[in-house]
């Protein structure tokens, strides 16, 4: 078996430096190296030539293509990031739909399928990642590809009622039936997707598998993890290194306590609301003024999308206002740093912070929550404050779980975390660490690939959406009827397990990098 990974962006690893990426990219690379493989996707470059470029690294081939300016505008900035991203994060008010963007999105998926189909061998197993590429399997099937194809959705999947607001959502959801396995971050996301397939597309289900026409697709949660041991080692090493940002932070903070937030600058992460909550905490507990500070690290992303430019401006404005209202000549309550750091530096910041403030308004999983836990000193750990709307909250119930829309509740959680006795901090930390350690990134990759290779192979074609024409949108069925079990219940697919990613990889590299460039 050869593994083929497809993602929106592909970063070709440096020849000499094995791991310049976050845990996910490293784990996928390891799985590819184990089986020999192909990683296909956008190079990240916008150019006039769209020719496929192949680079060999060991037994992995990286095949990348550039996007044209028009493709980047419609497929990436337009439909993926101004329509799908907000609606999947329950932000109807921010969802901007343009038919031309949707056409561009379908066009890029069609082109990717055309180029990829030529490279597919009979025993390949194909693993497609993320919302940019939802219709890719349907396009591949149309070209006669009968291999097993899996999809993993890294972000939340909303309820059918929410998703229906997006024009052509039914057509798009229907294309998921072209996959053998669809992986979601949480049980809630999996249930929402199954509801969409049943109520919007008329599929039948037994709760785990969905039957649409002659095709059967497994829908399951696979909560993504991190390389816990590698991150723990980075954090421990950061304490010993003389010239790390950790040392500098320690010197600049003195005895003051530190609350930390680390996120891409994205409205789903709740950064502005978090700054307000920290301000509220200082107003409610004036005795804490001068004794604690918030460090918010937020490298800009998608700056070409107007909503992100607005967030950039707003976060500066709110931090400036709160610092002016609450600061002293020798103490700045909030520092916002808009740049990426190396993983070692991040690990050091997490370890120094008494509170990890992870309060997205909605998040598929949120790896920062897990990184914060992994980086703690087991003898004197900090406290994780976590939004109930992060997928991670489904697993990390021993964090202080908060509603990020309620700044008073978040403010009180900060106070509780700072005042928490060491024995309770250790108890919570140990419970959290156990969870992240037993469901790390290697476990995740292995489990997903076992489920995908164990799924029954199917050859049937699912018609991909071909044009923007309201006639292609099937009628919405909202019958309220109970889903019926699939006609043929084959029971658990027998796993023809492959073993991947078991060797511990090199620790995440020094170059700052998000899991996938988004
Ligand atoms: P993201 O939205 O990118 O991922 P997240 O899961 O938090 O969110 O991952 C962010 C990664 O970027 C973390 O590894 C973090 O360390 C890194 N990072 C953030 N700020 C950084 C900085 N200043 N410098 C260096 N590195 C930084 C999407 C979904 C998530 C899901 C992941 C994985 O939105 O919900 O958890 O995919 O599936």
């Amino acid at each position: 078996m050869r593994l083929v990974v497809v993602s929106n962006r592909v970063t070709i690893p440096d020849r000499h430096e094995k791991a310049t990426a976050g845990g996910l990219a490293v784990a996928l690379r390891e799985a590819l190296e184990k089986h020999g493989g192909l990683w296909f996707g956008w190079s990240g470059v916008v150019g006039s030539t769209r020719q496929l470029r192949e680079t060999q690294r060991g037994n992995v081939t990286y095949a990348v293509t550039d996007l044209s300016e028009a493709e980047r505008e419609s497929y990436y900035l337009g439909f993926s990031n101004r329509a799908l991203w907000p609606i999947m994060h329950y932000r109807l008010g921010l969802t901007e739909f343009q038919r031309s963007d949707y056409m561009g999105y379908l066009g890029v998926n069609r082109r990717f399928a055309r180029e990829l189909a030529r490279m597919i061998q009979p025993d390949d197993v194909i693993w497609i990642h993320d919302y940019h590429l939802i219709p890719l399997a349907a396009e591949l099937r149309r070209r006669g590809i009968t291999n097993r194809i899996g999809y993993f959705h890294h972000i939340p999947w909303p309820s059918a009622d929410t998703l229906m607001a997006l024009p052509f959502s039914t057509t798009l959801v229907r294309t998921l039936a072209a996959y053998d396995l669809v992986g979601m971050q949480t049980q809630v996301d999996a249930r929402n997707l199954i509801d969409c397939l049943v109520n919007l597309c008329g599929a039948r289900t037994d709760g785990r598998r969905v039957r649409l026409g002659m095709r059967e697709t497994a829908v399951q949660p696979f909560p993504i993890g991190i390389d816990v041991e590698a991150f723990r080692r980075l954090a421990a090493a950061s304490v010993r290194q003389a010239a790390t940002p950790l040392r500098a932070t320690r010197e600049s903070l003195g005895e003051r306590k530190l609350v930390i937030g680390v996120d891409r600058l994205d409205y789903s992460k709740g950064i502005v609301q978090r700054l307000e909550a920290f301000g509220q905490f200082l107003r409610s507990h004036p005795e804490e003024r001068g004794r604690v500070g918030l460090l918010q690290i937020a490298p800009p992303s998608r700056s070409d999308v107007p909503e992100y430019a607005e967030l950039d401006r707003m976060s500066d404005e709110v931090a400036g206002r709160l610092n002016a209202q609450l600061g002293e000549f020798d103490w700045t309550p909030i520092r916002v740093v808009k740049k990426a750091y190396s993983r070692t530096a991040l690990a050091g910041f997490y370890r120094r912070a008494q509170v990890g403030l992870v309060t997205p308004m909605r998040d598929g999983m949120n790896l920062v929550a897990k990184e914060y836990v992994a980086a703690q000193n087991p003898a004197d750990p900090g406290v994780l404050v976590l939004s109930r709307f992060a997928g991670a909250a489904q697993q990390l119930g021993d964090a202080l779980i908060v509603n990020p829309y309620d700044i008073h509740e978040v403010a009180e959680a900060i106070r509780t975390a700072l005042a928490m006795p060491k024995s309770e901090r250790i108890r919570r930390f140990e419970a959290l660490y156990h969870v992240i350690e037993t469901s790390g990134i290697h476990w995740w990759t292995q489990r997903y690939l076992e489920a995908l290779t164990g799924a029954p192979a199917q050859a049937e074609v699912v018609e991909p959406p071909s044009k923007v024409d309201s006639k292609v949108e099937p009628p919405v069925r909202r019958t309220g009827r109970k889903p019926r079990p699939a006609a043929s219940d084959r029971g658990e697919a027998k796993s023809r397990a492959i073993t991947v990613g078991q060797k511990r990889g090199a620790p995440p590299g020094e170059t700052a990098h998000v899991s996938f460039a988004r």
Side-chain angles (χ1 to χ4, degrees):
M1 168 205 127
R2 185 179 75 147
L3 179 61
V4 176
V5 171
V6 188
S7 60
N8 169 52
R9 285 282 289 275
V10 178
T11 309
I12 301 170
D14 195 283
R15 198 178 281 283
H16 308 292
E17 192 184 7
K18 184 177 172 196
T20 55
L24 172 59
V26 173
L28 288 176
R29 222 173 270 161
E30 280 179 15
L32 285 164
E33 279 162 10
K34 179 140 192 137
H35 299 279
L38 170 68
W39 195 333
F40 177 93
W42 178 28
S43 60
V45 174
V46 175
S48 49
T49 162
R50 298 191 297 178
Q51 219 166 7
L52 206 63
R53 293 190 299 282
E54 290 184 32
T55 307
Q56 197 67 30
R57 290 278 185 274
N59 60 354
V60 181
T61 306
Y62 293 85
V64 296
T65 174
D66 299 347
L67 293 183
S68 70
E69 184 55 47
E71 285 176 331
R72 176 174 170 272
E73 283 284 330
S74 57
Y75 151 82
Y76 178 69
L77 294 176
F79 191 69
S80 295
N81 286 333
R82 296 195 76 189
L84 283 179
W85 178 272
I87 204 148
M88 296 276 177
H89 287 85
Y90 297 72
R91 300 296 287 268
L92 279 173
L94 296 179
T95 301
E96 287 282 332
F97 176 81
Q98 301 273 352
R99 283 186 172 216
S100 54
D101 289 344
Y102 182 53
M103 287 289 278
Y105 175 84
L106 296 179
V108 169
N109 273 275
R110 207 171 297 133
R111 175 161 81 82
F112 277 16
R114 202 167 50 236
E115 282 164 6
L116 184 59
R118 284 200 282 266
M119 307 173 86
I120 296 300
Q121 298 165 7
D123 70 338
D124 284 352
V125 168
I126 306 167
W127 190 3
I128 296 169
H129 289 259
D130 240 343
Y131 57 101
H132 312 81
L133 301 172
I134 290 172
L136 190 58
E139 293 289 351
L140 286 169
R141 299 279 185 229
R142 196 159 70 147
R143 282 165 181 77
I145 300 296
T146 57
N147 304 51
R148 283 160 206 281
I149 312 182
Y151 170 74
F152 186 77
H153 190 73
H154 288 262
I155 63 177
W157 193 280
S159 66
D161 270 351
T162 304
L163 195 64
M164 270 169 61
L166 181 71
F168 301 99
S169 50
T170 300
T171 316
L172 195 62
V173 172
R174 184 178 281 276
T175 65
L176 283 169
Y179 290 94
D180 297 296
L181 174 66
V182 174
M184 294 278 143
Q185 296 277 22
T186 69
Q187 187 68 54
V188 174
D189 299 319
R191 220 178 299 127
N192 281 344
L193 172 58
I194 290 174
D195 279 355
C196 286
L197 283 159
V198 169
N199 291 323
L200 304 183
C201 308
R204 290 180 299 160
T205 183
D206 65 357
R208 278 171 72 89
R209 281 156 303 180
V210 170
R211 176 168 281 272
L212 192 57
M214 295 299 287
R215 283 203 58 87
E216 195 170 283
T217 302
V219 179
Q220 288 173 38
F222 296 89
I224 196 167
I226 62 164
D227 189 337
V228 176
E229 177 55 22
F231 214 82
R232 188 195 62 74
R233 273 190 270 124
L234 278 184
S238 75
V239 178
R240 292 190 294 272
Q241 287 167 12
T244 60
L246 174 61
R247 186 73 45 104
T249 317
R250 216 180 254 150
E251 279 159 18
S252 86
L253 285 168
E255 290 306 303
R256 284 183 185 128
K257 290 189 170 176
L258 179 65
V259 176
I260 195 162
V262 174
D263 316 78
R264 276 186 309 104
L265 193 59
D266 191 299
Y267 51 77
S268 67
K269 305 292 182 184
I271 295 167
V272 167
Q273 294 83 348
R274 187 180 311 158
L275 300 180
E276 294 286 9
F278 191 73
Q280 182 56 46
F281 156 72
L282 293 174
R283 276 191 292 270
S284 306
H285 300 282
E287 72 283 2
E288 295 285 356
R289 292 186 197 176
R291 293 166 57 180
V292 56
L294 169 65
L295 172 60
Q296 174 64 54
I297 300 178
S301 66
R302 306 175 192 166
S303 324
D304 296 351
V305 176
E307 291 77 18
Y308 288 74
E310 171 64 9
L311 174 66
D312 198 358
R313 195 189 59 71
M314 271 194 46
S315 55
D316 287 351
E317 189 186 298
V318 173
R321 168 169 52 78
L322 292 170
N323 280 337
Q325 286 173 355
L326 298 161
E328 299 288 346
F329 72 93
D330 59 349
W331 170 66
T332 306
I334 296 173
R335 300 184 209 193
V336 178
V337 185
K338 291 186 174 166
K339 57 191 268 196
Y341 284 94
S342 72
R343 303 199 64 73
T344 307
L346 272 191
F349 288 135
Y350 291 140
R351 193 167 178 114
R352 169 64 180 82
Q354 282 74 18
V355 182
L357 203 46
V358 182
T359 54
M361 313 314 278
R362 204 49 88 157
D363 218 329
M365 177 53 58
N366 195 299
L367 297 179
V368 169
K370 296 185 173 184
E371 290 168 358
Y372 178 76
V373 174
Q376 295 310 297
N377 173 5
D380 189 14
V383 178
L384 176 64
V385 175
L386 180 61
S387 161
R388 66 173 65 255
F389 301 121
Q394 305 294 316
Q395 292 178 291
L396 304 181
D398 281 286
L400 293 180
I401 303 292
V402 294
N403 177 355
Y405 289 89
D406 183 347
I407 64 166
H408 291 270
E409 187 181 317
V410 178
E412 284 317 300
I414 295 170
R415 170 81 188 118
T416 306
L418 287 169
M420 191 178 283
K422 194 196 259 189
S423 58
E424 186 178 349
R425 283 189 278 122
I426 291 176
R427 183 191 64 71
R428 286 177 185 266
F429 162 76
E430 286 175 351
L432 295 173
Y433 195 87
H434 176 72
V435 173
I436 61 168
E437 197 182 25
T438 51
S439 56
I441 188 68
H442 300 289
W443 170 86
W444 178 81
T445 318
Q446 183 170 345
R447 240 186 100 229
Y448 186 92
L449 286 175
E450 280 177 5
L452 177 58
T453 51
Q458 297 170 76
E460 193 166 324
V461 172
V462 169
E463 200 51 35
S466 53
K467 58 183 191 294
V468 177
D469 172 353
S470 51
K471 280 188 231 124
V472 301
E473 187 83 340
V476 173
R477 285 197 222 162
R478 297 201 54 80
T479 58
R481 70 193 144 89
K482 277 222 170 74
R484 276 185 290 151
S488 86
D489 187 343
R490 281 174 247 199
E492 274 295 299
K494 226 183 161 34
S495 170
R496 287 190 274 113
I498 50 166
T499 315
V500 294
Q502 278 184 328
K503 73 177 153 100
R504 284 283 176 216
E510 294 307 296
T511 311
H513 211 296
V514 292
S515 32
F516 280 145
R518 284 168 203 283

